Amino acid sequence: MAPPPAYQSQRSSSSPSQPSGKSEVSDLRLQLRQLAGSRAPGVDDSKRELYKKVISYMTIGIDVSSVFSEMVMCSATSDIVLKKMCYLYVGNYAKSNPDLALLTINFLQRDCKDQDPMIRGLALRSLCSLRVPNLVEYLIGPLGSGLKDGSSYVRMVAVMGILKLYHISPSTCIDSDFPAMLKQLMLNDPETQVVANCLLALQEIWSAEASSSEEASRERDALLSKPLIYYFLNRIREFSEWAQCLLLELVAKYVPSDNSEVFDIMNLLEDRLQHANGAVVLATIKVFMQLTMSMTDVHQQVYERIKAPLITLANTGSSEQSYAVLSHLHLLVMRAPMLFSSDYKHFYCHYNEPSYVKKLKLEMLTAVANEDNTYEIVTELCEYVANVDIPIARESIRAVGKIALQQYDVNAIVDRLLQFLEMEKDYVTAETLVLIKDLLRKYPQWSHDCIAVVGSISSKNVQEPKAKAALIWMLGEYAQDVADAPYILENMIENWEEEDSAEVRLHLLTASMKCFFRRPPETQKSLGAALAAGIADFHQDVHDRALLYYRLLQHSTSIAEKVVNPPKQAVSVFADTQSSEIKDRIFDEFNSLSVVYQKPSFMFTDKEHRGPFEFSDELGNLSIGAESVNSVVPAQIVDANDKDLLLSTTEKEDSRAISTNGAGYSAPLIDASSGPLVALDTQPAVQDAQASMAIDDLLGLGFAAPAPAPSSAPVPPPLKLNAKAVIDPGTFQQKWRQLPLSLSQETQVTPQSVAALTTPQSLLQHMLVNSIHCIASGGQSPNFKYFFFAQKAEDTSTFLVECVINTSSSKAQIKIKADDQSSSNAFSEIFQSALSKFGMS
């Protein structure tokens, strides 16, 4: 019995991503076949409707490759709209269906000879977009004809087609002498867009060929010759904005022969600074700065000259454009703040600007502050503290603090910061406390005024970890000036288990110790509670610090005071978060995304444009370390079962990784209620057990007296590695799969190491000096992956290491497997020590 009509309609109305499958595509195919070759009136309109339906299906991901032949048959028309849709369809399916792409060659070559230049250009572009290596022989003729076409549009398409041909088959492009034809066209074509396309194609082709061909290297250098540079500069006003940026990028690489040539070029480009397009202005500024880099006085005059155009651009146009320009202005301000100090009012924030623009302006206001303008800038920043945009209010408070740390008008700024504490806004109080802590570290003389206000703040109203840590630091550092300091700390220690932040718990330990040395009777009980809680803490750093303080007190309270609470000197300079090398790299990449991201390109670009870090499916894409080539047999072809051994070990080990408390720590934790405190592998000898018990009684800890360490305990010999260790890739893979994970750690990488990783292979040579050999490496910036191995000098025990370095976060993930598990910690220390010294020399 047939289903009811309603049920039939439900079945036929399937989702757009999956129409009723073969039925609709088959109907389209049948209708297209009926219209193929038809010359009836209105047939083109019918074809348009069918073509639109095919393109819409293709756009939403439905496979309509089955109508390929019908689409080609229907392409015999003079309707340019139908031609465009057909070319779009063919270009989409040609690469995945190379056999079907062969069907399109005849009609595309025929259209390349059409009378309409628009159709000729579209057909040539589609022919070059097939991206099928087997069909490159069919491109040579149409491309040669396109370069000589009377239409500038066809010549433009032909030039870009040659570049596409080069990426498909470089040898075919070079053998057909297309680069020479492009050079001739670049020098003689009257159409500027054709010239610009030729320049772009030649730069890309010769740059790629320069590494293997001396002739290509000479041709690439010839693009920077004086006659060619002046030829482009004299015609630059005729070019489009995109083409002008291309030419200016080329001029920025040119090295003038003398100073007079520098001034000639700048005079030719002077009017480009008034251009309405921001990209042209920025490209021109880059040329000016590159040309005058060795001319100090002129370079400073360039800064003065470019201020007005940049400030004008930053205050016009969309917010996105303003941000891009402001990012470049921000870079210049940070390099030469004094030159912009008189223009500080241009950096005031407007109420309708987005947060990312305001944040940049706040950083520039901080940089340009000096004795003459500090009052006005700080007054403006204080207005932003009441802003409804909380992140901007926070940044404003930080900006005020930074200006104070630059020693400008400190007296007035401290008064303003103390007024912020009266606003009774949690985020304002939190940021202000952090800044007051930094100010007291640099200006201890202001402690009386600040502590009088800070002491009245209730710790219950401070919830943010950094602010709470700052408050605790001040309570410990100035315990003698805050009457309730011991009791405030005691209340916080009672809530130890509720405190999630390890930073706060660390500060509580230190503040309790400092308070104990200044006010012992009031702090005795709370210090004991803090040490007991800290020793039982699961966080490695908190546990270690509590244990250190306890043992210091066991040894000598006077020495403990000298260690924990020594006389302090004022901090003169706070560390910069970004190294000068990184800043110089960003400046060298002016007029690029590096300036917008505020990091060098190697930290965020990926050569293959694959996005997140990943390894290829083929092990062969991992390069064998240079030191391994001379000592091991060539890498074997990996079996199918082993192919992903070095490529995706992280997921395999997650289920069997040893619990390391997040940092590879395996020392036993001490339970204050169950046994002796000193229960570590490397416990020191206790010289006076009675003194130890006295400390326990004083602090109320109740720990048993530690047993003296045996005097004859053997000291393990230092680990020595074999400088000539050998292991073949097959054995490495087998061991890596079979051995359990010994250690998993995350360590910080120094800025010098990150900068040195611009040439990732340099790390291999550095580690080799430390008898640690690389067997495979790979990846793209910002992530690099290395596999190392080492062997003991006295036996054949092997250590295997996977090291993933992220240059963006400056961190390294290290996983170690070892034949001898007991030596893993010693080897880890050697490996991390070697890694930390990379880039230092």
Side-chain angles (χ1 to χ4, degrees):
M1 185 175 65
Y7 181 71
Q8 288 181 340
S9 63
Q10 290 176 6
R11 291 183 60 185
S12 62
S13 59
S14 53
S15 66
S17 60
Q18 290 186 359
S20 53
K22 299 180 180 178
S23 59
E24 288 196 28
V25 177
S26 299
D27 290 344
L28 280 175
R29 184 176 183 181
L30 182 60
Q31 294 177 51
L32 285 170
R33 184 170 294 178
Q34 290 173 351
L35 294 177
S38 174
R39 299 182 181 276
V43 70
D44 283 349
D45 293 335
S46 301
K47 287 183 180 179
R48 280 193 186 189
E49 294 303 318
L50 293 176
Y51 272 36
K52 287 179 182 178
K53 191 173 289 187
V54 171
I55 297 299
S56 66
Y57 285 168
M58 182 183 74
T59 304
I60 61 176
I62 299 170
D63 184 11
V64 286
S65 59
S66 58
V67 300
F68 198 98
S69 57
E70 284 73 18
M71 291 285 287
V72 173
M73 286 190 291
C74 289
S75 64
T77 176
S78 58
D79 189 335
I80 193 168
V81 176
L82 286 175
K83 291 279 189 187
K84 286 184 178 180
M85 287 192 286
C86 183
Y87 295 154
L88 177 62
Y89 173 86
V90 167
N92 186 69
Y93 283 108
K95 187 176 181 180
S96 57
N97 299 276
D99 296 335
L100 294 177
L102 188 60
L103 302 174
T104 65
I105 295 297
N106 288 335
F107 93 85
L108 287 175
Q109 286 185 326
R110 184 176 64 250
D111 286 350
C112 286
K113 300 176 182 177
D114 196 276
Q115 293 182 354
D116 188 343
M118 182 64 69
I119 292 179
R120 293 200 304 271
L122 289 172
L124 184 57
R125 186 176 67 178
S126 301
L127 186 62
C128 296
S129 299
L130 295 180
R131 295 168 292 176
V132 179
N134 295 334
L135 302 181
V136 292
E137 59 185 282
Y138 299 103
L139 305 182
I140 298 173
L143 284 174
S145 301
L147 292 177
K148 302 172 184 176
D149 198 287
S151 169
S152 60
Y153 171 70
V154 179
R155 296 198 302 276
M156 287 163 46
V157 171
V159 172
M160 300 310 295
I162 290 173
L163 188 55
K164 293 178 183 178
L165 172 63
Y166 177 79
H167 286 295
I168 299 171
S169 177
S171 58
T172 304
C173 180
I174 301 298
D175 294 342
S176 301
D177 206 25
F178 279 135
M181 297 169 67
L182 288 179
K183 183 178 180 181
Q184 188 69 19
L185 192 65
M186 179 180 68
L187 297 175
N188 299 293
D189 199 291
E191 177 59 43
T192 53
Q193 193 59 49
V194 176
V195 175
N197 285 8
C198 288
L199 176 60
L200 175 67
L202 287 174
Q203 280 183 311
E204 194 161 334
I205 291 173
W206 282 334
S207 295
E209 290 291 314
S211 59
S212 57
S213 170
E214 292 185 6
E215 181 182 357
S217 180
R218 288 194 299 270
E219 292 288 358
R220 182 190 60 181
D221 296 340
L223 290 176
L224 295 173
S225 62
K226 181 176 179 179
L228 196 57
I229 292 295
Y230 275 81
Y231 167 73
F232 287 138
L233 288 175
N234 289 325
R235 295 188 62 185
I236 193 169
R237 293 171 184 78
E238 305 171 19
F239 286 82
S240 66
E241 293 168 344
W242 172 84
Q244 287 185 39
C245 292
L246 181 66
L247 296 181
L248 290 168
E249 193 67 31
L250 179 70
V251 176
K253 301 174 184 176
Y254 176 65
V255 180
S257 57
D258 52 35
N259 291 346
S260 63
E261 197 173 338
V262 171
F263 292 115
D264 289 342
I265 294 175
M266 290 198 293
N267 288 333
L268 284 171
L269 296 176
E270 173 72 17
D271 61 337
R272 298 298 91 190
L273 291 174
Q274 278 80 43
H275 202 283
N277 186 279
V280 175
V281 175
L282 289 175
T284 307
I285 290 173
K286 181 176 182 178
V287 173
F288 279 32
M289 291 193 298
Q290 292 289 345
L291 291 177
T292 60
M293 193 66 70
S294 59
M295 306 162 65
T296 307
D297 295 338
V298 179
H299 194 69
Q300 182 171 337
Q301 293 175 18
V302 167
Y303 272 77
E304 295 286 352
R305 176 66 185 86
I306 64 180
K307 278 197 303 185
L310 278 176
I311 291 174
T312 302
L313 276 175
N315 293 307
T316 56
S318 64
S319 299
E320 290 78 12
Q321 178 182 333
S322 297
Y323 182 75
V325 177
L326 275 172
S327 297
H328 289 79
L329 188 56
H330 173 269
L331 177 65
L332 299 179
V333 167
M334 294 302 168
R335 286 182 70 88
M338 295 306 298
L339 296 179
F340 294 87
S341 59
S342 60
D343 303 289
Y344 65 92
K345 290 186 178 180
H346 293 288
F347 306 140
Y348 284 177
C349 299
H350 300 170
Y351 75 95
N352 58 345
E353 289 177 332
S355 298
Y356 52 84
V357 172
K358 290 180 180 178
K359 185 175 183 296
L360 270 184
K361 287 189 171 183
L362 289 176
E363 291 179 8
M364 288 188 280
L365 281 173
T366 305
V368 302
N370 58 22
E371 293 87 349
D372 299 328
N373 58 26
T374 293
Y375 178 80
E376 289 82 3
I377 291 177
V378 172
T379 302
E380 181 72 12
L381 291 174
C382 290
E383 294 296 324
Y384 303 154
V385 174
N387 198 305
V388 294
D389 189 346
I390 294 178
I392 294 303
R394 290 178 180 272
E395 289 293 337
S396 302
I397 299 172
R398 292 172 194 154
V400 172
K402 289 177 183 177
I403 293 174
L405 293 176
Q406 296 171 9
Q407 300 180 343
Y408 298 136
D409 200 12
V410 180
N411 189 2
I413 292 177
V414 169
D415 290 340
R416 291 175 186 263
L417 286 175
L418 295 178
Q419 291 173 11
F420 291 163
L421 295 176
E422 301 173 1
M423 294 179 66
E424 297 184 353
K425 292 183 178 180
D426 293 344
Y427 60 90
V428 174
T429 301
E431 291 296 336
T432 305
L433 285 174
V434 174
L435 282 178
I436 289 177
K437 182 196 77 170
D438 289 339
L439 285 174
L440 290 180
R441 292 173 65 195
K442 187 165 187 176
Y443 310 113
Q445 64 269 26
W446 292 102
S447 61
H448 181 74
D449 295 337
C450 293
I451 294 302
V453 178
V454 170
S456 62
I457 298 175
S458 173
S459 60
K460 296 180 180 178
N461 297 331
V462 182
Q463 298 300 324
E464 297 183 19
K466 287 187 177 297
K468 192 178 290 188
L471 177 61
I472 293 170
W473 179 87
M474 287 184 277
L475 291 174
E477 193 69 26
Y478 300 97
Q480 72 279 7
D481 298 326
V482 182
D484 295 333
Y487 310 105
I488 297 173
L489 292 175
E490 183 178 8
N491 184 56
M492 290 184 175
I493 293 170
E494 289 175 355
N495 299 316
W496 182 283
E497 298 296 334
E498 300 175 8
E499 183 55 60
D500 297 328
S501 172
E503 180 183 9
V504 173
R505 302 201 297 274
L506 288 168
H507 276 79
L508 267 177
L509 286 170
T510 305
S512 298
M513 288 284 285
K514 292 178 179 178
C515 192
F516 173 74
F517 294 125
R518 291 186 173 93
R519 300 166 70 171
E522 299 168 278
T523 317
Q524 171 185 334
K525 181 180 177 181
S526 58
L527 175 59
L531 290 177
I535 291 169
D537 200 289
F538 285 97
H539 193 279
Q540 175 186 342
D541 294 338
V542 178
H543 170 79
D544 288 353
R545 183 174 295 189
L547 201 54
L548 170 67
Y549 288 165
Y550 175 73
R551 287 179 173 168
L552 279 172
L553 291 171
Q554 278 185 318
H555 181 73
S556 169
T557 54
S558 60
I559 292 178
E561 183 175 9
K562 292 179 181 179
V563 172
V564 178
N565 196 33
K568 293 181 178 62
Q569 296 181 350
V571 177
S572 57
V573 179
F574 286 84
D576 196 347
T577 56
Q578 200 173 57
S579 69
S580 58
E581 295 178 3
I582 297 293
K583 292 178 180 178
D584 290 340
R585 285 290 299 271
I586 296 174
F587 183 75
D588 292 340
E589 296 172 3
F590 192 88
N591 193 26
S592 71
L593 280 176
S594 298
V595 181
V596 178
Y597 291 164
Q598 296 186 17
K599 58 178 69 174
S601 58
F602 73 86
M603 288 188 174
F604 63 86
T605 53
D606 188 308
K607 187 175 182 181
E608 300 298 330
H609 305 289
R610 291 181 301 189
F613 172 74
E614 61 180 2
F615 278 92
S616 169
D617 290 335
E618 296 294 335
L619 180 63
N621 286 352
L622 293 175
S623 60
I624 303 299
E627 73 280 9
S628 302
V629 174
N630 298 325
S631 59
V632 299
V633 297
Q636 305 295 322
I637 299 176
V638 184
D639 295 337
N641 294 333
D642 298 336
K643 184 177 292 186
D644 63 342
L645 175 61
L646 301 184
L647 312 180
S648 57
T649 54
T650 304
E651 295 80 3
K652 297 178 182 180
E653 292 165 356
D654 285 343
S655 60
R656 62 182 186 185
I658 299 172
S659 175
T660 58
N661 222 9
Y665 180 76
S666 58
L669 295 175
I670 310 302
D671 186 351
S673 63
S674 62
L677 174 70
V678 187
L680 297 180
D681 295 337
T682 56
Q683 65 178 12
V686 180
Q687 298 178 354
D688 191 348
Q690 293 182 351
S692 171
M693 294 179 66
I695 287 294
D696 291 347
D697 293 338
L698 176 66
L699 301 179
L701 291 175
F703 294 138
S711 58
S712 59
V715 178
L719 179 64
K720 294 183 179 180
L721 300 179
N722 182 4
K724 298 182 179 180
V726 175
I727 188 172
D728 64 86
T731 304
F732 184 97
Q733 294 176 60
Q734 185 178 7
K735 280 180 171 289
W736 187 265
R737 187 172 60 252
Q738 294 175 351
L739 289 174
L741 184 65
S742 300
L743 287 175
S744 179
Q745 300 170 313
E746 182 179 86
T747 184
Q748 197 73 22
V749 180
T750 64
Q752 293 87 347
S753 300
V754 171
L757 273 174
T758 49
T759 54
Q761 295 298 317
S762 60
L763 177 60
L764 312 188
Q765 297 296 334
H766 171 76
M767 300 302 283
L768 182 60
V769 175
N770 296 275
S771 301
I772 300 173
H773 306 255
C774 179
I775 194 168
S777 63
Q780 299 288 344
S781 177
N783 293 285
F784 299 95
K785 192 171 189 177
Y786 299 89
F787 287 94
F788 296 98
F789 71 91
Q791 291 177 344
K792 285 186 178 181
E794 61 271 13
D795 55 43
T796 59
S797 296
T798 305
F799 302 96
L800 310 181
V801 184
E802 177 195 75
C803 179
V804 180
I805 300 177
N806 185 297
T807 54
S808 297
S809 61
S810 298
K811 291 185 178 180
Q813 294 282 349
I814 301 171
K815 293 185 178 180
I816 298 176
K817 298 185 177 184
D819 291 330
D820 181 7
Q821 300 282 329
S822 62
S823 304
S824 298
N825 286 316
F827 174 74
S828 174
E829 293 178 4
I830 294 175
F831 186 89
Q832 292 192 52
S833 174
L835 185 62
S836 65
K837 296 174 182 176
F838 175 56
M840 295 299 185
S841 57

